[in-house]
Amino acid sequence: MPEILEIESYRQLADHAVGATITKGWADIYAAKKLPSVGTWAKAVKGLRITGTNRRGKLMLIETNGPTLAMRFGMTGVLLLDSDAGIEGLFYGPHTFKKDWVRGGLELADGRRLLLHDPRRLGRFEIEPDLNELGPDALTLTKKEFGVALTSVRGGGAAIKARLLDQSVIAGIGNLLGDEMLFRAGIDPRTPTGHLTPTQRDELFVALKATLKQLQKRGGSHMGNHMSARTPGGICPLDGGPMRISVIGGRTTYWCGQHQH
DNA sequence: AGAAAGCCTCGGCCGC
DNA sequence: TGCGGCCGAGGCTTTC
């Protein structure tokens, strides 16, 4: 579920922990999968003071007086900041909460806890992540950066849909956002990146910004314009054509064969 | 039962 | 022929 706007809302939640000292941390073997060992997280975070938060694409960063801590949320991860009141009410959107799905977190000196709730165990904790592996952030992306990303980075053979999802090119575009911006720009998702015209690139950039803006207005939810048609047998809301379903870059892609070309 | 909104690894293939 | 980079396939994991 979490796409970039959800991660941004988690970051804002984590902002409430700025100033707090971490008394304890823990991670299960999946949350710790990118770390040297299961105990690395607990050992590294103990005693750190949280000094700020940040985000690059879908990677949430917790700045401290020591190393930068980071969290990825995978497909189903949610960040919780609990209090004595309990956590159920703090969920962002409609979810079920199960204690067993808390895969790790941080305990703060004031008693609160930052928790990773993640049913499908694809969320990960990181320490001192290498931000050079990520492209510019999608939320703050400039038109110039977008142009560079689509023209001077790597070969031009990959389908534009796959390229948009490549986090090392632009950080933060997920599968739904990718479909939505291609839909709005009227571009066939299979088009090789190098075959896009300057006009098409411009339209894609405009579509990206417009989509993010609209989603932000709706509270960061993941419902775009063509999402109502995002179902087998769906009808394009623009021209009434049948929506097509393809796998592009390994991801399910919904698109309209009539106006996306 | 099959697919899932994220990410990582692996191996084939292409071009220099 | 050799090498490196690009790019797609497949896997992870659990749930609905």
Side-chain angles (χ1 to χ4, degrees), chain A residues 187-233:
Chain A
I187 295 171
D188 185 328
R190 303 166 302 177
T191 309
T193 304
H195 291 184
L196 291 176
T197 66
T199 304
Q200 286 180 310
R201 289 197 294 270
D202 287 352
E203 286 167 352
L204 254 189
F205 180 74
V206 169
L208 170 63
K209 289 298 179 179
T211 304
L212 287 173
K213 199 169 178 181
Q214 185 185 358
L215 295 187
Q216 222 149 13
K217 224 178 259 181
R218 292 182 190 172
S221 155
H222 27 267
M223 300 302 283
N225 276 358
H226 95 301
M227 288 306 119
S228 57
R230 199 181 172 81
T231 168

Side-chain angles (χ1 to χ4, degrees), chain A residues 66-80:
Chain A
T68 298
L69 310 178
M71 296 184 182
R72 305 191 162 277
F73 295 92
M75 280 172 42
T76 59
V78 172
L79 183 72
L80 303 173

Side-chain angles (χ1 to χ4, degrees), chain A residues 52-257:
Chain A
T53 64
N54 230 315
R55 183 188 53 73
R56 175 80 75 87
K58 289 175 273 195
L59 184 67
M60 190 189 79
L61 302 166
I62 300 174
E63 307 294 346
T64 75
N65 58 341
T68 298
L69 310 178
M71 296 184 182
R72 305 191 162 277
F73 295 92
M75 280 172 42
T76 59
V78 172
L79 183 72
L80 303 173
L81 177 61
D82 89 334
S83 63
D84 294 338
I87 19 191
E88 269 93 332
L90 297 178
F91 259 89
Y92 178 80
H95 294 273
T96 19
F97 171 80
K98 280 192 193 163
K99 202 158 172 265
D100 287 350
W101 289 341
V102 175
R103 310 300 188 183
L106 300 171
E107 287 185 18
L108 309 178
D110 57 23
R112 294 178 300 166
R113 298 180 300 170
L114 276 171
L115 300 173
L116 171 66
H117 182 269
D118 182 22
R120 291 188 206 170
R121 316 188 92 137
L122 295 171
R124 301 285 182 261
F125 290 164
E126 294 180 43
I127 298 169
E128 294 283 22
D130 183 5
L131 296 184
N132 292 322
E133 293 173 3
L134 295 173
D137 183 76
L139 276 182
T140 54
L141 189 74
T142 64
K143 187 169 176 178
K144 190 177 174 190
E145 287 171 331
F146 187 74
V148 169
L150 293 195
T151 54
S152 11
V153 182
R154 303 218 192 134
I160 180 62
K161 168 72 185 287
R163 180 56 49 91
L164 290 172
L165 295 185
D166 183 339
Q167 302 299 297
S168 71
V169 174
I170 297 168
I173 297 179
N175 198 28
L176 292 182
L177 184 49
D179 274 5
E180 176 75 17
M181 60 191 281
L182 287 162
F183 177 86
R184 291 194 188 202
I187 295 171
D188 185 328
R190 303 166 302 177
T191 309
T193 304
H195 291 184
L196 291 176
T197 66
T199 304
Q200 286 180 310
R201 289 197 294 270
D202 287 352
E203 286 167 352
L204 254 189
F205 180 74
V206 169
L208 170 63
K209 289 298 179 179
T211 304
L212 287 173
K213 199 169 178 181
Q214 185 185 358
L215 295 187
Q216 222 149 13
K217 224 178 259 181
R218 292 182 190 172
S221 155
H222 27 267
M223 300 302 283
N225 276 358
H226 95 301
M227 288 306 119
S228 57
R230 199 181 172 81
T231 168
I235 300 297
C236 174
L238 288 188
D239 54 32
M243 295 295 284
R244 298 181 57 177
I245 306 176
S246 314
V247 174
I248 301 170
R251 318 307 311 279
T252 303
T253 301
Y254 283 80
W255 57 291
C256 170

